[in-house]
Amino acid sequence: MVPWEVRLLGRPEARRGDDVAHLRSRLAWALLAALRHPAGVARHTLVERFWPDTDHGRVSLRLAVKSLRDTFGPEVVSEHAGRLILNRAGLDLDLDRIESADAATDPDERRRLLQEIDPLLDGELLDGCDDPDASVVRWIGGERARWNERGARLLNEIAAHREADRDPHAAFDALRRSLRLAPEDADAWERAWRLGKQIGRTPDTQALQRTLTFSEAIARARAREVAGRRPSLRESRAFEELLLQRM
């Protein structure tokens, strides 16, 4: 049977031919990402990770597992000795393919695999799946930071290959995606400005810089909301200025 192609980078989705999977909750996507460990994850570990200070953790976990089984089949999640184990037989996970490419050591094989996963490196982990529960948000945030670092590093490597192949437009696009994941990367900015000028896309680099500045302000606002702190007057004014620049 053709496996489900599961995307966890960017907005999560699962497709098999013309079929599109619809999970009942955002938490089910997070659980799918959490269960990727080869040995599975203990139930109590998942409860403590996602719902450490609540009484509904076991019920919420059971509902999330049910959502995965209803969507991908009853065999997709099994249990052994109190551990939930993800059955990958019917799933083609983007994160698995990216990890395999990153683990390749033969230069030619690595380059081929990086070319294959290039389209997958587009967006942050579990985009749009931030749960109202602060513990879930913290877990997703930690995993997202780890995958952002890996994605930016691989995209920088892909950009270098594209530039060596004398395809500056593809190299520039890879750098733009890299900077969305790691906007603090000064070397990537320098390369993007150089390539943008070379191929006449300096306005795209300028627009990206404005967008990332705006996105950083949004991220800080969300972090403050989770922490329960109102923004200062200075922060509010700076945010308003960014909004005006964006319009």
Side-chain angles (χ1 to χ4, degrees):
M1 181 179 291
V2 177
W4 287 95
E5 295 183 4
V6 181
R7 295 285 301 267
L8 295 176
L9 290 186
R11 275 200 182 272
E13 66 172 17
R15 294 179 177 273
R16 185 172 61 189
D18 295 331
D19 295 330
V20 180
H22 298 283
L23 295 180
R24 294 178 181 176
S25 70
R26 293 173 294 180
L27 181 60
W29 289 112
L31 179 62
L32 184 58
L35 288 176
R36 291 180 55 255
H37 192 283
V41 186
R43 275 185 176 271
H44 68 84
T45 299
L46 292 166
V47 172
E48 292 171 0
R49 178 180 296 165
F50 290 138
W51 308 278
D53 303 314
T54 67
D55 297 326
H56 60 77
R58 294 182 181 277
V59 174
S60 297
L61 176 59
R62 186 163 62 249
L63 291 174
V65 171
K66 185 177 186 302
S67 179
L68 291 178
R69 287 171 172 164
D70 289 346
T71 302
F72 300 116
E75 71 286 347
V76 71
V77 178
S78 61
E79 185 169 1
H80 178 71
R83 301 180 71 84
L84 295 179
I85 301 171
L86 182 68
N87 178 14
R88 287 171 161 79
L91 302 175
D92 180 11
L93 296 170
D94 59 345
L95 301 187
D96 288 349
R97 294 179 61 189
I98 292 168
E99 284 184 337
S100 295
D102 197 15
T105 55
D106 178 76
D108 293 336
E109 177 70 2
R110 182 178 181 85
R111 187 165 183 163
R112 182 186 67 79
L113 291 174
L114 287 178
Q115 184 173 353
E116 288 182 2
I117 66 165
D118 184 358
L120 302 179
L121 297 168
D122 191 15
E124 293 190 316
L125 179 71
L126 299 172
D127 187 21
C129 287
D130 293 325
D131 192 270
D133 193 300
S135 297
V136 178
V137 171
R138 283 194 295 270
W139 182 83
I140 292 177
E143 290 296 298
R144 191 173 283 163
R146 186 168 67 86
W147 277 97
N148 280 357
E149 185 279 330
R150 170 177 259 164
R153 174 171 52 78
L154 293 176
L155 283 167
N156 285 336
E157 191 174 345
I158 289 169
H161 290 320
R162 296 289 186 265
E163 196 169 1
D165 293 338
R166 298 185 179 181
D167 189 349
H169 286 277
F172 180 77
D173 288 335
L175 286 170
R176 289 177 68 195
R177 283 183 286 147
S178 169
L179 286 166
R180 289 191 182 100
L181 299 176
E184 73 286 351
D185 189 339
D187 180 63
W189 275 115
E190 182 180 349
R191 293 166 66 196
W193 281 110
R194 175 177 54 79
L195 279 174
K197 184 176 181 180
Q198 175 185 331
I199 62 179
R201 295 179 65 179
T202 297
D204 290 341
T205 314
Q206 294 170 333
L208 177 64
Q209 191 170 46
R210 287 195 298 271
T211 300
L212 289 175
T213 304
F214 180 81
S215 299
E216 289 168 3
I218 291 286
R220 289 195 297 272
R222 287 177 177 168
R224 287 193 299 271
E225 184 179 350
V226 170
R229 182 175 72 80
R230 294 177 62 83
S232 67
L233 180 60
R234 180 178 179 183
E235 289 170 330
S236 297
R237 287 176 176 170
F239 188 67
E240 289 171 2
E241 290 178 5
L242 286 170
L243 283 173
L244 290 173
Q245 294 172 15
R246 177 77 169 185
M247 293 173 64

